[in-house]
Amino acid sequence: MRSLAQIAGSVLGRTMLNIAQAVEADIPLIQAAAAESWRVTYATVFSSAFIEDFLSSAYGTTALRRSISSERSFFVVVKEHDHIVGFCQIGQGDSRYAGGFQLFRIYVIPSHWRRGVGQDLLARAEAWVLEQGGRGDCCYVHGLNEVGKGFYLKNGFLHVPEQDIEGEWYLWKDLAK
């Protein structure tokens, strides 16, 4: 597990990343990053009307305010200049496996894919899980989201097909290893 200093600073020669806990002032920037990410990631999976409705609901100001202030989860963002290029929320959730933590969302804007931003966000989120006494975390990813599935598998998650729900892959990562 990388240290917070490694995650926040230059890792393997990459540009300095500013990873910070999300605050209410970040909401418009999170909304912009979510919209950009969702519109590209799910363009061939969902209709544009579905995507816009989902963004309005899941990334509405009230929903994000609740997520950011939740004591049961940890919400972090990556800023580059005055823009959020990625964000992640993890928290107490699924109890089907020992650990009971769930990665609720992790998105990086497409121009920053394959630059390590997602890995750094995930590392910081999973460090928080370990600090909370968790042993692992799970997540769901749409079965047609090839970018997401590839990311999770590359970063140590295992697909547990018997736990899939309605086209969503269920993935589990054991952090105790």
Side-chain angles (χ1 to χ4, degrees), residues 27-96:
I27 289 175
L29 300 173
I30 294 168
Q31 290 169 325
E36 186 176 343
S37 299
W38 262 77
R39 289 176 185 139
V40 171
T41 302
Y42 295 106
T44 61
V45 176
F46 298 118
S47 71
S48 58
F50 176 89
I51 292 169
E52 297 310 315
D53 286 345
F54 183 84
L55 289 168
S56 293
S57 174
Y59 291 93
T61 301
T62 301
L64 283 174
R65 188 176 291 130
R66 193 171 30 249
S67 293
I68 288 169
S69 65
S70 173
E71 293 180 12
R72 297 174 46 94
S73 71
F74 183 65
F75 201 127
V76 290
V77 297
V78 174
K79 293 182 180 178
E80 185 177 77
H81 308 295
D82 293 331
H83 302 284
I84 287 178
V85 298
F87 58 90
C88 175
Q89 182 188 10
I90 196 164
Q92 296 174 1
D94 198 306
S95 60
R96 285 183 273 182

Side-chain angles (χ1 to χ4, degrees), residues 1-5 7 19 21 71-76 90-92 99 101 120-137 175-176:
M1 179 74 51
R2 291 181 283 175
S3 72
L4 183 54
I7 295 165
I19 298 178
Q21 194 155 355
E71 293 180 12
R72 297 174 46 94
S73 71
F74 183 65
F75 201 127
V76 290
I90 196 164
Q92 296 174 1
F101 287 85
D120 290 350
L121 280 167
L122 183 62
R124 182 60 193 109
E126 290 177 341
W128 180 84
V129 168
L130 291 171
E131 291 164 8
Q132 304 306 304
R135 292 188 45 239
D137 58 315
L175 299 176

